């Protein structure tokens, strides 16, 4: 066993083996995989091995395609067969909503370059004769579906990695991890210790335990999952080709050929977790007792939908556990506050996703960046609120809904309410319909008095459409009140705050009493954040951004802090230790104010009048201009106020200590009643910002886009000196990037764009939509999205595919509402 390595991967399931292979393939051969027993002995060995490219997140779908296409490569690199069967798959719909879901998936596949198509029930029955046509309305055909041999795949990754210099230690249990002061890890095993520069937790069923070795409680839970193998089926035996994969969503079953019969698996509604608190270490190559009663309802539907199955009898039942994160997507990446510790766990579809996970994580370890957009899988999408009990509730919910549709406007009920603000009950009494983001309840819209505060879930316009329209008009005509706890807020203080902000963000920090908008770039010049920065004077800054990205951003900020400022005190230029100590002393104090600072925004032409009634200061345009920031009072409440609004109207964001939140709400309501002050929620905010063509983090702004492409270039300040991503930005500016963020007016009917629809031009798919909705005050359906930069000058010839129909779209060169931005400024 080696004593020092670059990376120790803990866990020899399909995921750990893939990470090892990708590290070795990238040239890091001083890497080892440590497995407590035999490879695959956790959840991998008994998997059904099914794989496909269907995923709600386009970036994950792409990684699934990468994974499936990788099997040929690892077979060649290892000489080990993966048992790959690409049969193609047919996904069946019994309802109109499911057909909509499939049309959307098919449309999304088009811009991803994946080849899926909608087919008729007759066509489906021709290629999948086990089905009884009368139950179905339509189907989606996916050529890139099939299955692999789990053991073959895992060993192929491991052998291919060994061929590139990696080592695999089987029957070696990692008992503990201790971190040295240089950031490396001592991996304590029963057979000796290894000092590793980096460790990867690919512990699968035991990922929580491997997390606890470093003081982490990862949001993962294993669920029991059952599939059965039928006896011989004459139609299967008679089939000339291998029978296709099939998903029957309403039956909640998937199936594929296994020998002369079929393998049938279910995601039943009442799923049962396994090892809820601790995973037994003596569980190895084991199965759980079958419980056919639990899956009987799904099987009954299955027998009706696929009559030959009923007569076939059951040969074998497999019940095995595998892990899920609260939202069902993998957990990968570095952990905030823990250097050189990486996770690759919670992978519920190891044979569709394992390759992509290995690629992303190895890139991240080697280059400091995953190389593409992994937001949907980033462990940083969760915060400290994702506790064990939260995870338990959400994983159960997610498992039970695995084959159910998640509508774009649907908010799931489990584990709620968890985080609320003091004004929650007030807003609820006002009719607020809440959504949840980063564990926090926030108002989506307000149901008018006498109507139920419940939204119909649909792909089309819902019962919220008219109330949201009324909220928008109140903002544009009078004044609206929005809770802004969904924004993140940080304080950056100290002598080096300005220098640090200048280095970490792309714009120059503002002068005292002012605010600026500032993108944040990574070393590749891509967008990893967009913030409003306020200078409160005396080396105190407040930074506001997207609430869902708090862990993601804090992890980056703290990494930048640990790197320190590049400014080196000439007096300490001698010894590295001195320089390091000096750099540390230059780093400002940085803190998330999530629980300390809460607020409301007021927006609309009467917002100044409202503010003047509650604030003792002169709030005239001259005294309190656009982008001014000041610390003052609202009535008796100490407050920080920035003159800015994401609605595009005259507006203010007012921040107060959490203990004043309720008082702030009530003071504003009391003062604004005769001005028509109206509560509005994030649905209205979305409509208003679309009218202004304002982009949103995680939609228009993601780490695959550059400032030049997003139109944020004007907020990058090249004259201020060095900053992270400067060189890459310069190169991007010279080349002009690849694409452009544009605004479309869509000839929509009852369904607006929601995001991820393909953009067609002259009969070809040329781009994609990032978000959309109805602009209530301009009376148009709006969509924001990306097209190749050469097409950004065109206005016509575009179509956007909505629910399977290509709808004409006009590219508009300027915002539909107040393009000159006069409302914000006057
Ligand atoms: C019944 C069933 C059917 C499934 N069907 C499919 C399917 O059709 N398609 C699909 O894609 N997925 C399927 N899955 C899911 C799939 O099995 C998982 O996605 C996959 O196994 C996850 O692999 P892993 O490497 O993360 O975890 P594991 O396979 O659990 O691997 C973790 C490994 O880490 C080792 N380990 C943990 N702690 C330590 C330690 N301290 N020291 C040393 N070693 C350690 C363990 O021994 C284990 O070998 C199925 C799962 C089940 C249960």
């Amino acid at each position: 066993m080696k004593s020092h390595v670059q990376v120790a991967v803990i866990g020899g399931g399909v995921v750990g083996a893939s990470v090892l292979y990708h590290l070795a393939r990238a040239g890091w051969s001083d890497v080892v995989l440590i497995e407590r027993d035999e490879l695959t002995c956790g959840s991998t060995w008994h998997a059904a091995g099914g794989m496909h490219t269907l995923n709600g997140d386009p970036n994950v779908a792409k990684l699934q395609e990468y994974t499936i296409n990788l099997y040929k490569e690892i077979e060649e690199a290892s000489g080990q067969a993966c048992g790959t069967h690409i049969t193609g798959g047919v996904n069946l719909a019994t309802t109109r909503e499911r057909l909509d879901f499939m049309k959307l998936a098919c449309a999304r596949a088009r811009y991803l370059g994946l080849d899926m198509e909608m087919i008729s029930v007759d066509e489906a029955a021709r290629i999948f004769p086990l089905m009884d046509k009368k139950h179905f309305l339509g189907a989606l055909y996916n050529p890139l579906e099939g299955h692999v041999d789990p053991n073959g795949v895992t060993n192929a990754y491991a052998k291919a990695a060994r061929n590139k210099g990696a080592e695999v230690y089987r029957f070696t249990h990692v008992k503990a991890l201790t971190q040295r002061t240089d950031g490396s890890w001592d991996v304590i095993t029963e057979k000796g210790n290894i000092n590793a520069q980096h460790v990867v937790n690919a512990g699968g069923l035991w990922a929580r335990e491997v997390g606890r070795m470093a003081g982490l409680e990862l949001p993962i839970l294993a669920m029991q999952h059952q599939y059965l193998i039928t006896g011989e089926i004459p139609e299967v035996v008679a089939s000339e080709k291998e029978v296709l994969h099939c998903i029957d969503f309403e039956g909640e079953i998937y199936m594929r050929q296994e020998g002369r019969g079929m393998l049938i698996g279910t995601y039943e509604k009442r799923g049962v977790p396994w090892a809820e608190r601790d995973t037994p270490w003596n569980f190895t190559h084991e199965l759980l007792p079958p419980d056919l009663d639990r899956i009987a309802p799904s099987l009954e539907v299955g027998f009706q939908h696929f009559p030959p199955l009923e007569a076939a009898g059951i040969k074998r039942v497999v019940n095995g556990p595998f892990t899920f994160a609260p939202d069902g997507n993998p957990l990968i990446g570095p952990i905030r506050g823990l250097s050189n510790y990486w996770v690759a766990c919670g992978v519920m579809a190891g044979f569709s996703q394992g390759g992509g996970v290995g690629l992303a994580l190895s890139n991240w370890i080697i280059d400091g960046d995953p190389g593409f957009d992994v937001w949907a899988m980033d462990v940083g999408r969760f915060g400290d609120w994702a506790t064990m009990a939260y995870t338990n509730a959400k994983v159960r919910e997610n498992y039970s809904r695995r084959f159910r549709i998640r509508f774009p406007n649907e908010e799931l009920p489990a584990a709620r309410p968890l985080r609320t603000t003091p004004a929650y009950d007030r807003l609820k009494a006002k009719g607020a319909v809440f959504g949840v983001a980063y564990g926090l309840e926030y108002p989506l819209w307000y149901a008018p008095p006498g109507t139920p505060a419940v939204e119909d879930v649909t792909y089309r316009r819902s019962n919220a459409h008219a109330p949201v329209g009324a909220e928008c008009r109140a903002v544009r005509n009078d004044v609206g009140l929005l809770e802004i706890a969904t924004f993140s807020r940080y304080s950056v203080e100290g002598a080096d705050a300005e220098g640090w902000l200048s280095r970490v963000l792309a714009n120059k920090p503002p002068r005292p009493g002012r605010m600026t908008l500032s993108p944040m770039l990574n070393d590749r010049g891509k967008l990893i954040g967009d913030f409003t920065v306020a200078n409160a004077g005396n080396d105190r800054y407040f930074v506001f951004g997207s609430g869902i990205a708090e862990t993601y951003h804090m992890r980056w900020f703290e990494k930048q802090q640990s790197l320190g400022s590049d400014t080196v005190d000439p007096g300490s230029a001698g010894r590295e230790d001195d320089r390091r100590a000096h750099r540390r002393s230059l780093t400002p104090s940085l803190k998330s104010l999530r629980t300390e600072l809460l607020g409301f925004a007021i927006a609309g032409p009467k917002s100044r009048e409202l503010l003047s009634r509650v604030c003792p200061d002169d709030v005239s345009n001259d005294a309190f201009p656009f982008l001014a920031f000041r610390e003052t009072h609202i009535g008796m409440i100490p407050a920080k106020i920035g003159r800015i609004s994401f609605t595009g109207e005259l507006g203010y964001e007012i921040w107060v200590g959490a203990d004043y939140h309720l008082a702030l709400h009530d003071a504003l309501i009391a003062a604004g009643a005769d001005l028509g002050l109206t509560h509005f929620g994030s649905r209205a905010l979305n409509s208003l910002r679309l009218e202004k063509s304002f982009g949103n983090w995680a939609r228009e702004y993601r780490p695959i886009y550059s400032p030049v492409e997003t139109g944020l270039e004007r907020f990058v300040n090249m004259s201020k000196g060095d900053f992270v991503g400067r060189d890459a930005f310069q190169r991007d500016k010279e080349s002009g990037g690849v694409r452009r963020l544009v605004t479309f007016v869509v000839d929509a009917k009852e369904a607006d764009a929601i995001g991820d629809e393909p953009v067609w031009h002259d009969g070809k798919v040329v781009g994609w939509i990032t978000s959309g909705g109805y602009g209530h005050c301009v009376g148009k359906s709006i969509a924001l999205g990306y097209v190749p930069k050469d097409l950004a000058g065109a206005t016509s010839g575009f179509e956007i595919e909505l629910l399977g129909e290509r709808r004409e779209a006009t590219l508009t060169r300027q915002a539909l509402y107040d393009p000159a931005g006069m409302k914000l400024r006057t």
Side-chain angles (χ1 to χ4, degrees), residues 448 462-471 473 776:
S462 75
N463 57 326
H465 189 74
V468 168
E471 290 172 27
R473 284 185 290 277
H776 287 274

Coordinates of all heavy atoms in Angstrom, one line a residue, residues 448 462-471 473 776:
P448 N -56.7 36.4 -4.0 CA -57.6 37.5 -3.6 C -58.6 37.0 -2.5 O -58.8 35.8 -2.4 CB -58.4 37.8 -4.9 CG -57.6 37.2 -6.0 CD -56.8 36.0 -5.4
S462 N -52.2 29.1 -14.9 CA -53.0 28.6 -13.8 C -54.0 29.6 -13.2 O -54.0 30.7 -13.7 CB -52.0 28.1 -12.7 OG -51.6 29.3 -12.0
N463 N -54.6 29.2 -12.2 CA -55.6 30.2 -11.5 C -54.8 31.4 -10.9 O -55.4 32.3 -10.5 CB -56.4 29.5 -10.4 CG -55.5 28.8 -9.4 OD1 -54.4 28.3 -9.7 ND2 -55.9 28.8 -8.1
A464 N -53.5 31.3 -10.9 CA -52.7 32.4 -10.3 C -52.5 33.5 -11.4 O -52.1 34.7 -11.1 CB -51.3 31.9 -9.9
H465 N -52.9 33.2 -12.6 CA -52.6 34.2 -13.7 C -53.2 35.5 -13.5 O -52.5 36.6 -13.5 CB -53.1 33.6 -15.1 CG -52.7 34.4 -16.3 ND1 -51.4 34.3 -16.7 CD2 -53.4 35.2 -17.1 CE1 -51.3 35.1 -17.8 NE2 -52.5 35.6 -18.0
A466 N -54.5 35.5 -13.2 CA -55.2 36.8 -13.0 C -54.7 37.6 -11.8 O -54.4 38.8 -11.8 CB -56.7 36.6 -13.0
P467 N -54.6 36.9 -10.6 CA -54.1 37.6 -9.4 C -52.7 38.2 -9.6 O -52.4 39.3 -9.2 CB -54.2 36.6 -8.3 CG -55.1 35.5 -8.7 CD -55.1 35.6 -10.2
V468 N -51.9 37.4 -10.3 CA -50.5 37.9 -10.5 C -50.5 39.1 -11.4 O -49.8 40.1 -11.2 CB -49.6 36.8 -11.1 CG1 -48.3 37.3 -11.6 CG2 -49.4 35.6 -10.1
G469 N -51.4 39.1 -12.4 CA -51.6 40.3 -13.3 C -52.0 41.5 -12.4 O -51.4 42.6 -12.6
A470 N -52.9 41.3 -11.5 CA -53.3 42.5 -10.7 C -52.1 43.0 -9.8 O -51.9 44.2 -9.6 CB -54.5 42.0 -9.8
E471 N -51.3 42.0 -9.3 CA -50.1 42.4 -8.5 C -49.2 43.3 -9.4 O -48.6 44.3 -8.9 CB -49.4 41.2 -7.9 CG -50.2 40.5 -6.8 CD -49.5 39.1 -6.4 OE1 -48.3 39.0 -6.6 OE2 -50.3 38.2 -6.0
R473 N -49.8 45.1 -12.0 CA -50.3 46.4 -12.3 C -50.3 47.3 -11.1 O -50.0 48.5 -11.2 CB -51.8 46.3 -12.8 CG -51.8 45.8 -14.3 CD -53.2 45.7 -14.8 NE -54.0 44.7 -14.2 CZ -54.0 43.4 -14.6 NH1 -53.3 43.0 -15.6 NH2 -54.8 42.5 -14.0
H776 N -47.6 40.9 -17.9 CA -49.0 41.3 -17.7 C -49.1 42.8 -18.0 O -50.2 43.2 -18.5 CB -49.4 41.1 -16.2 CG -49.6 39.7 -15.9 ND1 -50.8 39.0 -16.1 CD2 -48.8 38.7 -15.4 CE1 -50.7 37.8 -15.7 NE2 -49.5 37.6 -15.3

